[in-house]
Amino acid sequence: MKTVDYFNFKDKQALIRVDFNVPLNEDLKVTDANRIEAAKPTIVKILEDGGSVVLMSHLGRPKGNEAKFSLKNIVSKVSEVIGVEPKFVEDCVGADVKKAADELESGEILLLENLRFHDEETAGDEAFAKQLSELGDIYVNDAFGTAHRAHASTTIVAQFFEDKCFGYLLAKEIKSLDKVLNSTEKPVTAVLGGAKVSSKITVIENILDAVDHLIIGGGMTYTFIKAQGGKIGNSLVEEDKQELALEILKKAKEKGVQVHLPVDSIIADSFSDQASTQVESVDSIPDGWMGLDVGPETLKNFEKVIADSKIILWNGPLGVFEMETFAKGTIELGKAIAEATKNGAFSLVGGGDSVAAVKQFGFDDKVSYVSTGGGAMLEMLEGKSLPGIAAISE
Ligand code: AMP
């Protein structure tokens, strides 16, 4: 894998696709600079080599040139995080942009305006990508969050460069996933939670070849339990996915993967933080009640599997963690993964909601790696080749 370490950037200009799609408040101030911080090592390496940097990113989903999606809003935050005040141009292509890029000197940064102010970006337009390519000597992709999109700046632009590579962040994402999917260390455990079987089915099928243990939690549980003849009351279920659930269990058995399903649930008489709750066997939930978190016996079982694992992948919460009453399973799982990590296991957390959960409960610095790209990570777990990665690897 070619990373920025492969090149000496002295007197070279890097065109870097970063993911500066950061949240802004009503005053258009950055409320979470994680994504800017994540791109810092790559930018600093290039500047320290004696090179210059042109940064390009999207921000939000603008319809035309909406001021609230202007990257001008993040200039001061970039300056604060990177320690260099970036120059800013009010477009990402055109004569003024080309001039600003040509005039850039070693040690300087140029930040382009939001790529998505042009429809050509998401359309993957070649002529637009060619214009972008004229702004640098070496193309660097450090935006994992958009690596699954064949957009102009993430994929198409790469064909115009002889010299191209991954930034440190993207390289780290790829390596972390590789560590899980192609591990020589065992046992490998995947914890899959979240709402639906249907959104995770391809992931489950693909990772059966990589894991020794598959822990299933969250709303998905009840489709599996009902398919096996259990009584699930009013719990979340995808009726038409029961056959599929049984097939997964059969396939797992054939491949020697141990599947761990919940044995008990925290059940509630309504979908509310204030609901009456009790602990019940996962397959004997009365009508009018629904399972919204895993129960204590289940947690004991899951914790044991986690403690014995060398490699752990976690995607999706074990319960409705947004409500305090049903957050315990997800919190305890986070604790168990943090403990296993302390004892030498490698743990990777990815996918939107589990990332939100580990951050909310303070486990983000107690696991080995928290992925920055929800959709991109899921597609890699599904075994798909991501266009942004392929464009550099080829
Ligand atoms: P996903 O995006 O598929 O990872 O799903 C995450 C969502 O699943 C979160 O919003 C959780 O509240 C929800 N969830 C987890 N467990 C359950 C459950 N037992 N019943 C309903 N929703 C759940």
Side-chain angles (χ1 to χ4, degrees):
M1 190 172 24
K2 226 188 238 180
T3 73
V4 280
D5 284 334
Y6 183 85
F7 296 100
N8 184 337
F9 285 84
K10 183 160 174 42
D11 300 326
K12 298 278 183 204
Q13 188 146 299
L15 174 68
I16 316 182
R17 177 49 158 104
V18 286
D19 180 3
F20 283 176
N21 183 27
V22 291
L24 302 176
N25 64 15
E26 281 176 5
D27 299 327
L28 302 179
K29 295 269 180 288
V30 177
T31 55
D32 180 350
N34 266 343
R35 285 180 166 162
I36 301 174
E37 270 149 21
K40 184 174 173 177
T42 298
I43 298 169
V44 167
K45 137 81 184 167
I46 293 166
L47 296 180
E48 282 183 350
D49 271 5
S52 52
V53 165
V54 176
L55 297 176
M56 54 179 178
S57 177
H58 75 286
L59 175 63
R61 295 184 172 182
K63 293 188 178 65
N65 299 20
E66 284 180 84
K68 66 174 176 177
F69 293 116
S70 171
L71 281 166
K72 202 174 190 169
N73 300 317
I74 73 163
V75 168
S76 61
K77 190 50 97 179
V78 173
S79 172
E80 184 188 317
V81 172
I82 310 292
V84 176
E85 169 96 35
K87 297 184 169 174
F88 179 76
V89 267
E90 289 179 1
D91 206 338
C92 57
V93 287
D96 289 349
V97 178
K98 180 77 174 79
K99 185 163 176 284
D102 288 348
E103 285 172 4
L104 209 60
E105 296 190 2
S106 292
E108 290 187 329
I109 300 176
L110 177 69
L111 176 65
L112 307 184
E113 181 54 288
N114 194 340
L115 292 157
R116 291 197 187 164
F117 282 180
H118 292 264
D119 292 340
E120 291 92 332
E121 163 62 0
T122 49
D125 185 86
E126 256 193 57
F128 178 75
K130 173 113 192 5
Q131 279 188 280
L132 292 173
S133 75
E134 285 158 8
L135 305 175
D137 307 308
I138 302 173
Y139 172 65
V140 181
N141 191 350
D142 211 13
F144 183 59
T146 46
H148 57 317
R149 307 279 183 226
H151 293 169
S153 70
T154 63
T155 303
I156 313 301
V157 69
Q159 66 190 279
F160 300 107
F161 286 88
E162 188 90 349
D163 291 331
K164 48 195 160 187
C165 63
F166 297 108
Y168 291 127
L169 172 66
L170 186 39
K172 204 166 172 188
E173 294 277 358
I174 298 169
K175 272 191 211 142
S176 301
L177 265 168
D178 184 63
K179 221 167 159 156
V180 173
L181 294 176
N182 302 304
S183 171
T184 45
E185 276 185 276
K186 288 185 175 303
V188 179
T189 298
V191 185
L192 292 183
K196 292 180 174 174
V197 182
S198 52
S199 61
K200 302 279 163 80
I201 185 67
T202 329
V203 174
I204 300 179
E205 282 176 338
N206 188 50
I207 61 170
L208 283 182
D209 288 321
V211 304
D212 306 293
H213 297 274
L214 174 63
I215 290 179
I216 292 177
M220 272 203 272
T221 306
Y222 304 98
T223 301
F224 283 90
I225 300 298
K226 185 163 184 196
Q228 291 174 300
K231 236 176 120 307
I232 59 159
N234 292 36
S235 305
L236 192 67
V237 64
E238 288 167 284
E239 300 285 355
D240 60 337
K241 294 291 177 292
Q242 294 183 64
E243 204 57 41
L244 202 57
L246 292 178
E247 255 172 56
I248 290 171
L249 295 177
K250 187 164 159 252
K251 253 191 216 162
K253 201 166 178 191
E254 285 164 7
K255 289 179 191 277
V257 178
Q258 286 190 49
V259 179
H260 306 270
L261 277 159
V263 291
D264 56 357
S265 288
I266 305 295
I267 61 168
D269 59 357
S270 71
F271 192 79
S272 151
D273 228 350
Q274 278 75 45
S276 301
T277 62
Q278 60 192 60
V279 178
E280 188 54 84
S281 268
V282 74
D283 55 2
S284 326
I285 302 176
D287 289 340
W289 292 72
M290 61 193 94
L292 295 182
D293 195 9
V294 291
E297 273 307 306
T298 301
L299 273 177
K300 261 193 234 157
N301 297 344
F302 287 4
E303 279 159 4
K304 189 165 180 320
V305 178
I306 296 288
D308 291 339
S309 301
K310 287 275 180 297
I311 307 274
I312 303 158
L313 165 77
W314 180 18
N315 174 279
L318 291 190
V320 184
F321 75 100
E322 298 93 335
M323 298 184 203
E324 211 183 323
T325 317
F326 311 107
K328 185 160 189 233
T330 302
I331 294 174
E332 294 301 318
L333 176 76
K335 278 189 197 160
I337 295 178
E339 185 64 25
T341 310
K342 210 167 84 188
N343 294 332
F346 174 82
S347 53
L348 167 63
V349 182
D353 271 316
S354 24
V355 172
V358 290
K359 284 189 178 159
Q360 184 181 328
F361 303 128
F363 296 120
D364 43 343
D365 56 355
K366 297 189 178 74
V367 296
S368 310
Y369 193 66
V370 180
S371 176
T372 56
M377 156 123 176
L378 279 179
E379 288 201 14
M380 277 188 89
L381 288 175
E382 286 174 351
K384 290 183 186 155
S385 151
L386 307 195
I389 293 174
I392 286 178
S393 309
E394 275 157 12

